[in-house]
Amino acid sequence: MVIKKVNSNTPTWELERIKEGDIITLQNGKFGEVSKIQIINSGSQKKYFYKLKNDGTIFILR
């Protein structure tokens, strides 16, 4: 099992490769299996929402 580390400096191409079922973690210790992904284009920025299977959401702004 590979755990993918993400943060606001993670390259866009890496964020785009995350799929449902992947396990991701933030620097603050929050982690879990991705159950749903939502990507929103907002002007020159992209908002990545990774809904976790067990608890919460990981949000990355790029």
Side-chain angles (χ1 to χ4, degrees):
M1 166 175 50
V2 175
I3 298 175
K4 299 179 180 181
K5 296 179 183 179
V6 296
N7 60 45
S8 60
N9 296 320
T10 302
T12 301
W13 66 269
E14 278 190 49
L15 295 173
E16 298 282 343
R17 291 180 60 187
I18 295 172
K19 305 284 186 243
E20 292 177 9
D22 287 350
I23 297 175
I24 61 175
T25 184
L26 277 175
Q27 293 171 336
N28 69 1
K30 188 172 199 167
F31 74 97
E33 181 181 339
V34 177
S35 64
K36 185 177 179 182
I37 300 169
Q38 183 177 15
I39 301 171
I40 299 173
N41 290 313
S42 178
S44 63
Q45 297 180 325
K46 277 191 172 183
K47 299 175 183 177
Y48 294 85
F49 295 90
Y50 300 101
K51 174 72 174 131
L52 303 180
K53 185 176 183 179
N54 295 330
D55 182 35
T57 302
I58 291 179
F59 168 70
I60 305 288
L61 180 63
R62 292 286 305 158

